[in-house]
Amino acid sequence: MTRIEKVLYTGKVHITSGGRDGAARSDDGQLDIDLSSPGSKGNGTNPEQLLAAGWSACFIGAIGLAAGKQKIKLPEDLSVDAEVDLGTAGVEYLLQARLRVHIPGIEREVAQALVDTAHRTCPYSKALHGNIHIETELV
Protein backbone atom coordinates (compact mmCIF):
# COMPACT_ATOMS: atom_id res chain seq x y z
CA MET A 1 0.00 0.00 0.00
CA THR A 2 1.42 3.37 -1.03
CA ARG A 3 1.29 6.07 1.63
CA ILE A 4 0.83 9.77 0.91
CA GLU A 5 4.07 11.73 1.14
CA LYS A 6 2.47 15.18 1.07
CA VAL A 7 -1.14 15.83 2.08
CA LEU A 8 -2.73 18.37 -0.29
CA TYR A 9 -6.12 18.59 1.41
CA THR A 10 -8.08 16.91 4.16
CA GLY A 11 -11.87 16.89 4.00
CA LYS A 12 -13.33 16.90 7.49
CA VAL A 13 -17.00 16.08 7.96
CA HIS A 14 -19.04 15.41 11.10
CA ILE A 15 -22.04 13.08 10.76
CA THR A 16 -24.71 13.31 13.43
CA SER A 17 -26.36 10.29 14.93
CA GLY A 18 -28.77 8.64 12.59
CA GLY A 19 -26.05 7.89 10.04
CA ARG A 20 -27.92 7.59 6.75
CA ASP A 21 -30.78 9.56 8.30
CA GLY A 22 -28.61 12.14 10.02
CA ALA A 23 -26.78 15.22 8.77
CA ALA A 24 -23.31 15.99 7.41
CA ARG A 25 -21.45 19.18 8.23
CA SER A 26 -17.92 20.05 7.12
CA ASP A 27 -15.56 21.89 9.45
CA ASP A 28 -15.34 24.83 7.02
CA GLY A 29 -19.13 25.14 6.61
CA GLN A 30 -19.03 24.51 2.84
CA LEU A 31 -20.98 21.26 3.21
CA ASP A 32 -24.13 21.33 5.30
CA ILE A 33 -26.63 18.70 4.20
CA ASP A 34 -29.26 16.38 5.55
CA LEU A 35 -28.92 12.69 4.80
CA SER A 36 -31.66 10.21 3.94
CA SER A 37 -31.64 6.51 3.24
CA PRO A 38 -31.89 5.64 -0.48
CA GLY A 39 -35.52 5.30 -1.54
CA SER A 40 -36.85 6.95 1.60
CA LYS A 41 -39.06 10.02 1.61
CA GLY A 42 -36.38 11.98 3.49
CA ASN A 43 -35.26 15.40 2.25
CA GLY A 44 -31.54 14.66 2.14
CA THR A 45 -29.03 13.03 -0.13
CA ASN A 46 -27.38 9.68 0.55
CA PRO A 47 -23.80 8.36 0.67
CA GLU A 48 -24.10 6.72 -2.75
CA GLN A 49 -25.01 10.05 -4.37
CA LEU A 50 -22.16 11.77 -2.55
CA LEU A 51 -19.68 9.13 -3.74
CA ALA A 52 -20.97 9.45 -7.31
CA ALA A 53 -20.60 13.24 -7.21
CA GLY A 54 -17.11 13.25 -5.73
CA TRP A 55 -15.82 10.48 -7.94
CA SER A 56 -17.17 11.92 -11.20
CA ALA A 57 -15.76 15.38 -10.38
CA CYS A 58 -12.35 13.87 -9.64
CA PHE A 59 -12.55 11.71 -12.78
CA ILE A 60 -13.12 14.78 -14.97
CA GLY A 61 -10.05 16.33 -13.35
CA ALA A 62 -8.02 13.22 -14.17
CA ILE A 63 -9.21 13.37 -17.79
CA GLY A 64 -8.09 17.00 -17.87
CA LEU A 65 -4.63 16.10 -16.59
CA ALA A 66 -4.30 13.31 -19.16
CA ALA A 67 -5.44 15.61 -21.96
CA GLY A 68 -3.07 18.36 -20.83
CA LYS A 69 -0.09 16.05 -21.01
CA GLN A 70 -1.03 15.24 -24.61
CA LYS A 71 -1.89 18.86 -25.46
CA ILE A 72 -5.50 17.91 -26.25
CA LYS A 73 -8.11 20.62 -25.80
CA LEU A 74 -11.18 19.19 -24.12
CA PRO A 75 -14.69 20.31 -25.07
CA GLU A 76 -16.73 22.49 -22.70
CA ASP A 77 -19.49 19.89 -22.62
CA LEU A 78 -17.32 17.02 -21.35
CA SER A 79 -19.39 15.12 -18.78
CA VAL A 80 -19.40 12.05 -16.56
CA ASP A 81 -22.56 10.32 -15.40
CA ALA A 82 -21.75 8.25 -12.34
CA GLU A 83 -24.04 5.59 -10.92
CA VAL A 84 -23.27 3.94 -7.60
CA ASP A 85 -25.40 0.93 -6.63
CA LEU A 86 -25.94 -0.23 -3.07
CA GLY A 87 -26.95 -3.87 -3.03
CA THR A 88 -26.55 -7.21 -1.38
CA ALA A 89 -24.89 -10.53 -2.15
CA GLY A 90 -26.20 -13.04 0.33
CA VAL A 91 -26.08 -11.25 3.67
CA GLU A 92 -23.35 -8.75 2.71
CA TYR A 93 -23.96 -5.16 1.61
CA LEU A 94 -21.87 -4.15 -1.40
CA LEU A 95 -21.35 -1.29 -3.82
CA GLN A 96 -20.84 -1.36 -7.57
CA ALA A 97 -20.50 1.51 -10.00
CA ARG A 98 -20.66 2.70 -13.58
CA LEU A 99 -18.99 5.76 -15.08
CA ARG A 100 -20.38 6.89 -18.42
CA VAL A 101 -18.04 9.42 -19.98
CA HIS A 102 -19.02 11.83 -22.77
CA ILE A 103 -16.18 13.60 -24.61
CA PRO A 104 -17.74 15.06 -27.76
CA GLY A 105 -15.58 16.19 -30.63
CA ILE A 106 -12.63 13.99 -29.71
CA GLU A 107 -11.75 10.98 -31.87
CA ARG A 108 -13.10 7.85 -30.15
CA GLU A 109 -9.72 6.12 -29.88
CA VAL A 110 -8.15 9.22 -28.30
CA ALA A 111 -11.13 9.71 -25.98
CA GLN A 112 -10.94 6.06 -24.84
CA ALA A 113 -7.24 6.46 -24.09
CA LEU A 114 -8.06 9.52 -21.95
CA VAL A 115 -10.74 7.56 -20.06
CA ASP A 116 -8.37 4.63 -19.50
CA THR A 117 -5.62 6.94 -18.24
CA ALA A 118 -8.05 8.79 -15.98
CA HIS A 119 -9.25 5.50 -14.48
CA ARG A 120 -5.64 4.58 -13.65
CA THR A 121 -4.81 7.98 -12.14
CA CYS A 122 -8.00 9.25 -10.46
CA PRO A 123 -7.59 8.76 -6.67
CA TYR A 124 -11.22 7.62 -6.32
CA SER A 125 -10.79 5.04 -9.09
CA LYS A 126 -7.57 3.79 -7.52
CA ALA A 127 -9.22 3.48 -4.10
CA LEU A 128 -12.18 1.54 -5.47
CA HIS A 129 -10.46 -0.54 -8.18
CA GLY A 130 -10.34 -4.17 -7.13
CA ASN A 131 -12.70 -3.50 -4.22
CA ILE A 132 -15.98 -3.05 -6.09
CA HIS A 133 -17.24 -3.93 -9.57
CA ILE A 134 -16.65 -0.89 -11.83
CA GLU A 135 -17.65 -0.33 -15.44
CA THR A 136 -16.41 2.60 -17.48
CA GLU A 137 -18.05 3.39 -20.77
CA LEU A 138 -17.33 6.03 -23.37
CA VAL A 139 -20.68 7.27 -24.67
Side-chain angles (χ1 to χ4, degrees), residues 60-74 110 113-114 117-118 120-122 126:
I60 286 178
I63 290 171
L65 289 173
K69 288 180 181 177
Q70 296 182 38
K71 305 218 183 312
I72 297 170
K73 181 170 176 14
L74 292 172
V110 173
L114 292 173
T117 299
R120 286 191 306 272
T121 59
C122 171
K126 287 195 276 188

Side-chain angles (χ1 to χ4, degrees), residues 10-11 15 22 25-26 32 40-42 47 55-56 58 60 63-64 86-87 97-98 107 119 121 123-124 129 133 138:
T10 300
I15 305 295
R25 311 277 184 268
S26 63
D32 186 356
S40 73
K41 295 189 190 260
W55 188 6
S56 56
C58 183
I60 286 178
I63 290 171
L86 170 65
R98 290 165 303 287
E107 183 181 317
H119 194 52
T121 59
Y124 282 74
H129 181 75
H133 177 76
L138 184 61

Side-chain angles (χ1 to χ4, degrees), residues 6 54 102 113-114 128:
K6 180 181 177 185
H102 181 61
L114 292 173
L128 296 168

Side-chain angles (χ1 to χ4, degrees), residues 6-7 13-14 23 30 36 56 58 62 69 79 83 98 100 103 115-116 118 127 129:
K6 180 181 177 185
V7 174
V13 177
H14 176 76
Q30 294 297 310
S36 298
S56 56
C58 183
K69 288 180 181 177
S79 64
E83 299 174 351
R98 290 165 303 287
R100 290 183 172 53
I103 311 176
V115 169
D116 294 343
H129 181 75

Side-chain angles (χ1 to χ4, degrees), residues 8-103:
L8 302 175
Y9 175 77
T10 300
K12 297 179 184 177
V13 177
H14 176 76
I15 305 295
T16 59
S17 65
R20 287 181 172 273
D21 294 308
R25 311 277 184 268
S26 63
D27 66 331
D28 62 4
Q30 294 297 310
L31 179 72
D32 186 356
I33 57 172
D34 291 329
L35 300 172
S36 298
S37 293
S40 73
K41 295 189 190 260
N43 292 325
T45 188
N46 60 64
E48 291 73 28
Q49 290 170 329
L50 293 169
L51 175 57
W55 188 6
S56 56
C58 183
F59 201 84
I60 286 178
I63 290 171
L65 289 173
K69 288 180 181 177
Q70 296 182 38
K71 305 218 183 312
I72 297 170
K73 181 170 176 14
L74 292 172
E76 295 280 326
D77 53 351
L78 161 69
S79 64
V80 174
D81 291 313
E83 299 174 351
V84 175
D85 299 324
L86 170 65
T88 58
V91 296
E92 294 186 22
Y93 286 94
L94 300 170
L95 297 175
Q96 66 183 20
R98 290 165 303 287
L99 298 176
R100 290 183 172 53
V101 184
H102 181 61
I103 311 176

